[in-house]
Amino acid sequence: MKQNCVLSRLGLILLSQGAVSLEFNMTALSAQNGSSILQCWQIDNPFKTSSEPATSGTALLTLSNVSNLTYGIVPPNSDGGLHNAPNVQWVVYISGLAYITLPDDTNSSVVVSGGEFGLIFAADTADVSQKGHRTQYPGQTETIALEIPTCNARIPEHRVLHMGPCNLDEITGIPSSDYTRGTGPGGAIRTRAVHNSPEFT
């Protein structure tokens, strides 16, 4: 059954010049062979330059149709334990800190800092991942997050740049021509992307 998409579109606004040359990279939680994995994705849909009043000259990116939006406040120094993504969804960390680890891959983890670089995509739902992932919140303040399921659990068209979270190289500019294209779990050159902080220690 198709969802009633309460929110028709989720998008990004980026104050930048030369927006048509930008591509968008982000860390994603996906699944492969029944286990959750971290990947660096490049979204196929490029930024476009707005000519609308109030946003003229800015870079706009439509990410996907979405169905809902939940505002969550997580206490500091808390542990979400092992869990699956409850929905195929965007997660926007507005503030705080999230440390994501994988039960079947102790060599892959990511720290997501709330704010400008706080957007990830989570698609390791229970139907594709047996154990899910673990999220800890090691910050000294509350972590505020938006959970935004996509309409009909649709995963955005993307290219998998590599296994593991996005790193600094993906932030400063990525040639997209050599990467594999994906439509589910597991050239332009961009000059700005989602950044995930160095691994929490």
Side-chain angles (χ1 to χ4, degrees):
M1 177 181 295
K2 290 190 175 181
Q3 295 174 329
N4 178 20
C5 295
V6 177
L7 303 175
S8 62
R9 289 284 181 184
L10 173 68
L12 287 177
I13 298 176
L14 175 64
L15 299 175
S16 176
Q17 299 295 322
V20 293
S21 67
L22 297 177
E23 299 290 343
F24 185 68
N25 299 344
M26 63 179 301
T27 294
L29 274 162
S30 189
Q32 191 173 73
N33 300 321
S35 296
S36 292
I37 57 174
L38 287 164
Q39 294 179 319
C40 182
W41 289 3
Q42 184 173 92
I43 301 301
D44 282 358
N45 192 25
F47 282 92
K48 297 180 180 179
T49 303
S50 172
S51 59
E52 297 295 322
T55 61
S56 180
T58 64
L60 301 178
L61 172 65
T62 299
L63 294 174
S64 68
N65 290 327
V66 296
S67 63
N68 196 4
L69 190 152
T70 301
Y71 183 97
I73 303 174
V74 184
N77 292 308
S78 60
D79 188 342
L82 277 177
H83 63 282
N84 293 93
N87 303 284
V88 174
Q89 63 186 13
W90 303 93
V91 181
V92 184
Y93 291 99
I94 297 174
S95 65
L97 201 63
Y99 177 44
I100 300 171
T101 55
L102 307 175
D104 295 326
D105 183 0
T106 57
N107 294 317
S108 187
S109 63
V110 65
V111 172
V112 185
S113 298
E116 181 181 6
F117 305 121
L119 176 65
I120 66 170
F121 193 80
D124 63 335
T125 51
D127 59 324
V128 295
S129 174
Q130 295 177 4
K131 299 177 185 177
H133 61 276
R134 181 183 182 187
T135 307
Q136 297 168 271
Y137 304 91
Q140 299 303 307
T141 60
E142 296 171 332
T143 295
I144 298 176
L146 301 178
E147 294 184 0
I148 311 170
T150 64
C151 190
N152 301 312
R154 182 174 176 83
I155 293 172
E157 297 286 337
H158 64 275
R159 296 182 177 123
V160 177
L161 301 187
H162 58 76
M163 297 296 291
C166 296
N167 55 47
L168 186 59
D169 290 339
E170 281 81 52
I171 307 310
T172 56
I174 288 294
S176 62
S177 59
D178 296 332
Y179 300 116
T180 58
R181 184 174 177 175
T183 57
I189 296 179
R190 67 164 322 286
T191 57
R192 185 178 182 84
V194 168
H195 174 254
N196 300 113
S197 303
E199 184 172 337
F200 172 72
T201 56

